[in-house]
Amino acid sequence: MKDEERLIKLKNIYEKYFEHLEEDLQIAISTQIDNFEKINSFYKLYEEQRTHLESEVIKLFTKAKKYFQHYFMALSMAIDREEIPENVAEYYGLSYPFEIPDTNDYEEFLLKAKNLFEDDHKRILNGGKHFTNPSIATVKVYVEKFEEKYLEFQSFIKAKIPKIENIEAMRHTTDKLIFEITGEKTNETNLVAKNEKSPTTSSNCQLSLDFDV
């Protein structure tokens, strides 16, 4: 059962049974509703931030890849027009005619872009002509923009993974509470019989949210 479902069930219990419950169960229901509202808000905010960053990464990757590939197209067309000899392609580890390099893997793309910049620098040092439309400087700008956002996204994923103290114990406690009041079983926990001690005294009912920074 997902945490969103737990919250819905808890609120349904509150609406249907709250006035008829003993005080300890009322406190338990109120506490767990508050806990799971905070948990769901916490994860919602995290997911919104993650989705926004990922969207920016995708847009910048698409742009950078386009300029990266256009540079190789410019190289190929310059050879086609016999403006430069065919062996110029060898600077880039290619043999003319060649397929335009392609990848949808971010890490692989950054490695290929790095190799392009190094190979192009060697060609220029050996008297090669600068290409335009696009220039290598323009390609670098878009690759660097993508890399910066990609690294930001990676840092977010690693440093902002939400950690909720005792979350599994809290879920188990809540599922037992739901079962105790409604008799409704769940698929994810080992439920106790109705006459088991109420979970309201468990310290697992306390919520602690934290970011792993």
Side-chain angles (χ1 to χ4, degrees):
M1 179 162 53
K2 296 181 180 180
D3 291 335
E4 294 87 345
E5 295 177 75
R6 287 184 174 91
L7 180 58
I8 291 172
K9 290 180 184 297
L10 288 167
K11 287 184 174 180
N12 285 339
I13 289 173
Y14 186 92
E15 292 178 1
K16 294 180 180 179
Y17 306 109
F18 188 79
E19 293 182 358
H20 307 289
L21 296 175
E22 295 179 1
E23 184 179 358
D24 59 346
L25 288 177
Q26 289 181 337
I27 293 173
I29 288 294
S30 298
T31 299
Q32 296 298 63
I33 286 176
D34 182 60
N35 283 345
F36 281 96
E37 281 182 337
K38 289 177 181 177
I39 289 170
N40 289 340
S41 296
F42 189 65
Y43 280 122
K44 182 180 179 181
L45 176 60
Y46 172 81
E47 186 61 24
E48 287 174 353
Q49 292 174 328
R50 188 200 65 79
T51 300
H52 174 72
L53 271 177
E54 187 174 33
S55 175
E56 291 297 305
V57 168
I58 292 171
K59 287 192 294 185
L60 288 171
F61 172 70
T62 301
K63 193 82 168 180
K65 179 180 172 181
K66 184 177 296 183
Y67 275 87
F68 169 82
Q69 291 187 314
H70 283 183
Y71 196 78
F72 282 99
M73 291 178 188
L75 170 65
S76 179
M77 288 188 290
I79 296 175
D80 286 343
R81 294 191 297 264
E82 299 183 350
E83 295 174 0
I84 57 176
E86 293 182 7
N87 62 5
V88 169
E90 295 174 5
Y91 278 102
Y92 305 90
L94 300 170
S95 178
Y96 181 82
F98 55 83
E99 293 185 2
I100 303 301
D102 187 23
T103 179
N104 288 316
D105 182 273
Y106 295 161
E107 297 287 348
E108 185 180 1
F109 171 75
L110 289 172
L111 179 60
K112 286 179 179 291
K114 178 183 177 182
N115 291 337
L116 166 62
F117 302 145
E118 292 175 352
D119 296 338
D120 199 71
H121 182 64
K122 292 175 184 177
R123 181 181 65 81
I124 298 301
L125 287 179
N126 282 283
K129 295 166 51 178
H130 285 281
F131 298 138
T132 58
N133 196 29
S135 67
I136 195 68
T138 302
V139 179
K140 283 184 179 179
V141 167
Y142 285 102
V143 169
E144 288 172 357
K145 284 182 178 181
F146 159 69
E147 184 175 21
E148 180 181 1
K149 186 61 65 174
Y150 173 63
L151 292 177
E152 181 185 346
F153 178 67
Q154 290 296 98
S155 295
F156 177 84
I157 294 298
K158 293 176 182 177
K160 293 286 188 177
I161 297 176
K163 300 181 81 173
I164 300 178
E165 185 179 349
N166 295 326
I167 182 63
E168 291 304 325
M170 188 184 305
R171 287 167 176 157
H172 182 70
T173 296
T174 299
D175 290 348
K176 288 195 295 181
L177 180 62
I178 292 171
F179 177 69
E180 180 176 350
I181 296 173
T182 68
E184 183 176 352
K185 295 183 178 181
T186 68
N187 296 324
E188 298 185 7
T189 57
N190 294 319
L191 298 170
V192 296
K194 285 188 179 183
N195 61 356
E196 184 178 337
K197 182 180 178 181
S198 171
T200 57
T201 59
S202 172
S203 61
N204 293 332
C205 291
Q206 300 304 312
L207 174 65
S208 175
L209 300 180
D210 190 18
F211 280 121
D212 183 10
V213 295

